């Protein structure tokens, strides 16, 4: 599991503060990665389907999905991904500030691969992203593209 | 009247009759045969006369209690009259016959006096019954009149006359509402009343069925809302059936009810909004706070070497502020969850709940070397989790508070069953709380001198939980004598509070 291609991660997140935090946290990790960002649900779906401006972008190995986004929220995006024959194998990690039980249940009902709550402090955030990176990109064997 | 009393009555009447007969005969004889004056004869016979009166007095006594005075009076009078008349008459006849030596007088007098008494008794009783009946009817009428005349509802008595319902009489309330109506057809007396209603009243009067309806009518006092009741009465199968129609003014009741409903609705709405507000505030506030604390952290870690001590201090303050705010938001969330996340009430064993809480508090108990004891805790109807939270908040509060002193804290939990409630108490041996601070302790974010660690939400949550259970919580404390928190929870399930906030 040594020299691998950089992993492609799609972050669906509308808050630039969170985007930056995630980028920082991933930088602190050990894994080579390319972080792509989609600012709302519509962009996220376009990216995943390689539509429009995203025709040339690679297919992501992992999606980090915020639930509250403009235009199309994360819940709809999750449902669409998991209903699509083509996209459903991509692991989707819900990464949100919502602790609402309803959101957790709904997410798993729509086959989210994991549900994580964003920790309040940066150290906690780094821990979460680090753990996530380690588990999903090093421990877990993902389906071939 | 019981049989033994009746027997005595008959016997006494007989004796009375005989006495009357004998007396009259004697008087007659003295007067006519021996030629004394009437006055002296009566005086000579005073003793039997008194005996006679005594007998009738006894009859009266026997009747009294079973019948009223008027009844007994009438019977007595007629019995006496019967006895005297027949007895006297016969005595007179017999007297003449005896003078002619034709017959034994005593037998005849006795027989006829008995007949006279019986006849008198019978007639008397009959007369008294009729009188009593008449009196009863008169009183009934009076009573009804008083009711009818003074009833605040407008009442009219109706009689079906051909195709129409005619108002036979109407009470003053009716007249003051709708003007004079007597003798008029109902539709003429109350032209505002819907034709269908008049028709229905007519049918129901004929069919002898009660009917209740509501309507708004103009009256001399303005527009009012009435509950109208039609009550048929009188014998069945008559040519002209009768009924009462009663107009009960419910304007005020209706207005009060509507007002009350509006108020309740407003209260429910504002309560719901408040819950929503607390929830949204705590949830949506997290997001920007997370930005503040994360970036202050980032600032501190990435520019560690470039900043001077003062800048580090600023950052420390910012971090501290963000942390405190986070704690408050968490508390607020916990506070709002009392209602949004409440479970149903069920019979709960407080001992099991307390034991679970004690396990959770193990660390704190060990740290403070606290001794926790408890007595018998009666079963309550409660939300088990919230009961646990109550115990946990009160216990940790007590341990921390009592732990301020030199000796390790001792806390005793107890329960007492009262009418419809169970009162739990959590008593510590700490320094106590001054009276003027006690009520404030239950307020949101109230930081009393005794609690400088948390944000002061624990007791506010306790009160909210107790409120949800429709119970009560209070403090009993004196400085230097420890503090006891009492919680009263109902033993029956209160009306379930609706958790109308967002489900979390």
């Amino acid at each position: 599991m040594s020299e691998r291609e950089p992993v492609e991660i799609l972050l669906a997140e509308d808050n630039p503060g969170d985007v930056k935090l995630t980028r920082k946290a991933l930088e602190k990790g050990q894994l080579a990665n390319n972080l792509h960002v989609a600012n709302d649900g519509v962009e996220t779906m376009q990216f995943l389907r390689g539509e429009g401006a995203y025709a040339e972008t690679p297919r992501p190995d992992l999606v980090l999905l915020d639930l509250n986004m403009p235009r199309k929220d994360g819940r709809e995006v999750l449902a669409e991904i998991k209903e699509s024959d083509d996209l459903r194998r991509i692991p989707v990690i819900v990464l949100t500030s919502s602790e609402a039980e309803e959101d957790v249940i709904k997410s798993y009902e729509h086959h989210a691969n994991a549900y994580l709550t964003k920790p309040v402090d940066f150290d906690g955030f780094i821990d979460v992203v680090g753990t996530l990176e380690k588990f999903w990109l090093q421990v877990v064997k993902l389906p071939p593209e | 009247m019981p049989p033994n009393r009746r027997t005595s009555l008959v016997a006494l009447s007989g004796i009375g009759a005989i006495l009357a007969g004998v007396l009259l005969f004697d008087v007659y004889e003295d007067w006519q045969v021996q030629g004394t004056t009437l006055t002296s004869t009566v005086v000579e016979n005073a003793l039997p006369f008194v005996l006679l009166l005594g007998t009738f007095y006894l009859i009266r006594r026997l009747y009294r209690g079973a019948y009223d005075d008027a009844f007994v009076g009438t019977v007595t009078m007629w019995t006496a009259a019967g006895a005297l008349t027949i007895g006297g008459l016969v005595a007179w006849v017999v007297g003449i016959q005896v003078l002619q030596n034709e017959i034994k007088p005593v037998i005849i007098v006795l027989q006829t006096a008995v007949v006279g008494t019986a006849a008198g008794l019978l007639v008397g009783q009959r007369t008294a019954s009729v009188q009593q009946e008449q009196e009863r009817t008169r009183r009934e009428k009076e009573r009804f009149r008083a009711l009818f005349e003074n009833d605040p509802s407008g009442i009219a008595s109706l009689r079906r006359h051909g195709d129409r319902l005619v108002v036979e009489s109407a009470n003053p309330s009716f007249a003051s509402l709708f003007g004079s109506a007597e003798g008029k057809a109902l539709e003429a007396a109350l032209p505002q009343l819907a034709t269908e209603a008049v028709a229905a009243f007519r049918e129901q009067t004929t069919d002898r069925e009660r009917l209740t309806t509501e309507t708004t009518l103009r009256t001399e006092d303005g527009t009012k809302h009435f509950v109208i009741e039609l009550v048929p009465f009188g014998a069945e199968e008559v040519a002209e059936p009768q009924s009462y129609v009663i107009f009960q003014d419910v304007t005020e009741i209706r207005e009060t009810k509507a007002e009350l409903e509006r108020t309740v609705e407003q209260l429910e709405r504002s309560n719901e909004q408040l819950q929503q507000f607390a929830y949204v505030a705590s949830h949506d506030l997290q997001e920007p706070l997370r930005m503040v604390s994360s970036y202050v952290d980032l600032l501190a870690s990435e520019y560690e070497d470039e900043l001077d001590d003062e800048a580090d201090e600023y950052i420390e303050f910012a971090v501290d502020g963000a942390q405190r705010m986070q704690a408050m938001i968490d508390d607020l969330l916990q506070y709002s969850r009392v209602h949004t996340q409440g479970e149903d009430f069920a019979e709960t064993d407080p001992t099991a709940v307390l034991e679970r809480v004690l396990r959770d508090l193990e660390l704190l108990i060990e740290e403070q070397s606290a001794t926790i004891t408890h007595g018998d805790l009666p079963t309550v109807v409660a939300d088990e989790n919230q009961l646990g939270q109550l115990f946990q908040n009160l216990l940790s509060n007590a341990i921390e508070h009592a732990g301020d002193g030199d000796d390790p804290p001792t806390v005793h939990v107890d329960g007492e069953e009262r009418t419809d409630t169970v009162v739990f108490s959590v008593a510590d041996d700490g320094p106590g709380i001054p009276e003027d601070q006690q009520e404030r302790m239950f307020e949101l974010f109230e930081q009393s001198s005794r609690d400088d660690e948390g944000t002061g939400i624990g007791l506010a949550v306790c009160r909210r939980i107790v409120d949800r259970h429709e119970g009560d919580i209070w403090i009993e404390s004196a400085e230097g004598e420890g503090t006891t928190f009492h919680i009263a929870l109902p033993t029956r399930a209160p009306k379930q509070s609706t958790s109308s906030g967002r489900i979390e």
Side-chain angles (χ1 to χ4, degrees):
Chain A
M1 221 185 257
S2 51
E3 283 304 308
R4 269 173 68 164
E5 300 261 302
V7 284
E8 307 292 335
I9 301 173
L10 173 62
L11 173 65
E13 171 67 67
D14 62 316
N15 181 352
D18 271 321
V19 171
K20 182 127 190 161
L21 280 181
T22 312
R23 201 181 286 284
K24 284 269 171 199
L26 283 171
E27 274 171 19
K28 289 188 187 278
Q30 283 98 46
L31 212 69
N33 62 71
N34 289 327
L35 184 70
H36 307 272
V37 178
N39 290 314
D40 60 49
V42 175
E43 256 182 51
T44 307
M45 290 317 295
Q46 282 173 347
F47 186 102
L48 288 167
R49 294 193 168 121
E51 291 167 0
Y54 303 104
E56 299 303 318
T57 53
R59 179 188 165 94
D61 296 305
L62 188 72
V63 176
L64 300 179
L65 181 67
D66 183 25
L67 288 183
N68 299 314
M69 286 191 295
R71 294 217 277 172
K72 182 182 275 184
D73 78 8
R75 299 162 187 87
E76 293 170 76
V77 170
L78 177 63
E80 272 186 51
I81 293 174
K82 294 302 177 184
E83 274 160 23
S84 152
D85 288 339
D86 185 35
L87 301 174
R88 68 159 62 109
R89 276 176 297 162
I90 302 173
V92 178
I93 318 295
V94 175
L95 187 61
T96 178
S97 55
S98 167
E99 286 181 25
E101 204 172 277
E102 195 189 6
D103 281 338
V104 180
I105 293 170
K106 279 267 164 64
S107 295
Y108 283 115
E109 271 174 5
H110 284 117
H111 310 289
N113 296 72
Y115 187 102
L116 298 173
T117 308
K118 294 172 188 169
V120 177
D121 58 318
F122 184 58
D123 289 342
F125 196 78
I126 292 176
D127 281 351
V128 164
V129 174
T131 311
L132 205 137
E133 194 183 32
K134 197 168 162 114
F135 182 73
W136 285 102
L137 303 175
Q138 293 181 327
V139 177
V140 168
K141 178 85 178 151
L142 293 173
E145 279 178 40
Chain B
M1 194 169 21
N4 58 344
R5 194 183 264 197
R6 194 180 305 135
T7 314
S8 324
L9 184 72
V10 169
L12 280 171
S13 303
I15 294 167
I18 295 161
L19 281 171
V22 170
L23 181 70
L24 281 173
F25 179 72
D26 195 27
V27 171
Y28 177 81
E29 200 195 23
D30 282 359
W31 176 34
Q32 288 293 323
V33 181
Q34 303 199 357
T36 49
T37 61
L38 185 63
T39 321
S40 61
T41 310
V42 170
V43 172
E44 272 173 30
N45 289 285
L47 182 66
F49 196 74
V50 168
L51 276 174
L52 183 70
L53 286 177
T55 310
F56 288 123
Y57 175 73
L58 273 173
I59 297 173
R60 263 183 76 103
R61 284 295 299 270
L62 280 165
Y63 262 117
R64 203 190 285 272
Y67 298 93
D68 62 23
D69 281 353
F71 187 91
V72 175
T74 308
V75 174
T76 310
M77 198 178 77
W78 278 88
T79 311
L84 286 170
T85 314
I86 310 270
L89 187 69
V90 169
W92 181 68
V93 173
V94 167
I96 294 172
Q97 288 174 333
V98 165
L99 286 178
Q100 294 163 2
N101 283 324
E102 280 179 12
I103 199 159
K104 274 211 181 262
V106 179
I107 307 289
I108 308 264
V109 169
L110 204 120
Q111 282 174 348
T112 44
V114 168
V115 172
T117 310
L121 195 63
L122 207 70
V123 175
Q125 185 131 19
R126 189 88 200 121
T127 312
S129 298
V130 171
Q131 278 179 357
Q132 202 177 33
E133 191 55 41
Q134 281 171 346
E135 176 64 17
R136 210 173 12 237
T137 312
R138 194 181 61 78
R139 283 210 201 118
E140 196 75 10
K141 265 189 174 162
E142 250 170 38
R143 200 160 42 221
F144 164 76
R145 244 310 111 188
L147 202 69
F148 184 75
E149 296 290 328
N150 296 304
D151 198 304
S153 305
I155 308 175
S157 82
L158 306 175
R159 182 188 285 276
R160 182 160 179 171
H161 197 77
D163 277 352
R164 312 192 122 173
L165 277 181
V166 177
V167 177
E168 278 201 313
S169 64
N171 71 350
S173 303
F174 187 95
S176 74
L177 285 169
F178 307 113
S180 117
E182 274 166 49
K184 294 183 191 167
L186 184 60
E187 56 265 44
L190 265 173
Q192 315 170 51
L193 207 59
T195 325
E196 298 80 38
V198 176
F201 288 173
R202 195 181 52 224
E203 294 317 309
Q204 299 304 82
T205 301
T206 312
D207 296 347
R208 300 171 61 81
E209 298 273 352
R210 286 178 80 117
L211 177 80
T212 308
T213 176
E214 280 193 38
T215 190
T216 305
L217 296 172
R218 281 186 316 279
T219 71
E220 317 235 317
D221 277 348
T223 305
K224 289 187 169 182
H225 194 82
F226 292 98
V227 168
I228 307 176
E229 192 146 6
L230 184 87
V231 186
F233 70 96
E236 273 178 73
E237 306 287 327
V238 288
E240 297 189 335
Q242 285 175 278
S243 63
Y244 282 115
V245 63
I246 304 165
F247 290 77
Q248 196 191 350
D249 178 2
V250 293
T251 319
E252 217 166 294
I253 299 173
R254 243 169 58 124
E255 276 168 9
T256 314
K257 198 173 152 221
E259 180 72 37
L260 205 68
E261 275 168 6
R262 266 199 302 280
T263 313
V264 168
E265 200 183 305
Q266 269 171 5
L267 270 175
E268 271 173 1
R269 206 166 37 227
S270 95
N271 197 30
E272 203 175 298
Q273 281 168 351
L274 210 66
Q275 280 181 22
Q276 197 88 344
F277 173 77
Y279 184 86
V280 166
S282 47
H283 250 73
D284 298 354
L285 281 178
Q286 303 252 47
E287 194 66 42
L289 182 66
R290 208 165 45 76
M291 287 293 111
V292 172
S293 56
S294 294
Y295 279 97
V296 172
D297 278 351
L298 207 58
L299 197 64
S301 69
E302 296 206 342
Y303 296 87
E304 210 181 351
D305 307 328
E306 294 163 49
L307 297 172
D308 59 15
D309 286 351
E310 205 164 13
D312 284 344
E313 202 187 354
Y314 295 168
I315 289 176
E316 223 170 88
F317 283 135
V319 169
D320 181 55
Q323 276 170 351
R324 269 187 296 133
M325 176 130 177
Q326 179 61 42
M328 285 171 108
I329 288 173
D330 284 347
D331 283 348
L332 209 56
L333 198 57
Q334 195 193 3
Y335 187 77
S336 76
R337 277 175 185 157
V338 169
H339 276 266
T340 54
Q341 280 198 312
E343 305 272 334
D344 287 349
F345 297 116
E347 286 221 341
T348 306
D349 171 18
T351 313
V353 173
L354 181 67
E355 275 160 10
R356 177 168 56 77
V357 169
L358 289 178
R359 277 196 298 279
D360 290 345
L361 290 176
E362 215 163 28
L363 225 81
L364 180 70
I365 295 171
E366 267 174 37
E367 197 182 279
Q368 299 275 356
S369 320
T371 312
I372 319 278
T373 54
H374 71 85
D376 279 343
L377 306 178
T379 305
V380 277
V381 173
D383 175 333
E384 194 179 322
N385 286 333
Q386 293 191 342
L387 183 65
Q389 209 176 347
L390 268 178
F391 282 146
Q392 175 149 359
N393 289 3
L394 291 180
L395 276 173
S396 52
N397 194 62
I399 294 168
E400 277 164 18
H401 167 54
D404 292 348
D406 298 330
D407 304 322
T410 311
V411 183
H412 183 71
V413 183
D414 219 332
E416 186 195 332
E417 198 151 12
R418 296 190 190 164
T419 330
D420 296 336
T421 53
V422 169
V423 178
F424 294 112
S425 56
V426 177
D428 66 44
D429 59 349
I433 307 164
E435 205 169 325
D436 58 333
Q437 284 181 32
Q438 292 180 2
E439 194 50 31
R440 278 210 339 246
M441 307 266 315
F442 295 108
E443 285 167 18
L444 203 57
F445 297 132
E446 174 56 37
Q447 271 182 294
S448 72
S449 55
R450 60 178 291 175
D451 179 16
D452 44 24
E453 297 221 339
T455 49
I457 191 106
L459 292 178
V461 168
C462 286
R463 165 160 285 178
R464 203 162 153 87
I465 290 174
V466 169
D467 283 349
R468 183 173 170 247
H469 286 74
E470 290 175 15
D472 199 4
I473 183 166
W474 68 97
I475 301 176
E476 197 182 300
S477 178
E479 268 181 287
E481 285 169 32
T483 303
T484 305
F485 279 90
H486 298 275
I487 315 162
L489 294 180
T491 43
R492 276 197 294 261
K495 193 170 74 69
Q496 288 281 335
S497 65
T498 47
S499 37
S500 42
R502 276 199 291 192
I503 309 153
E504 199 198 344

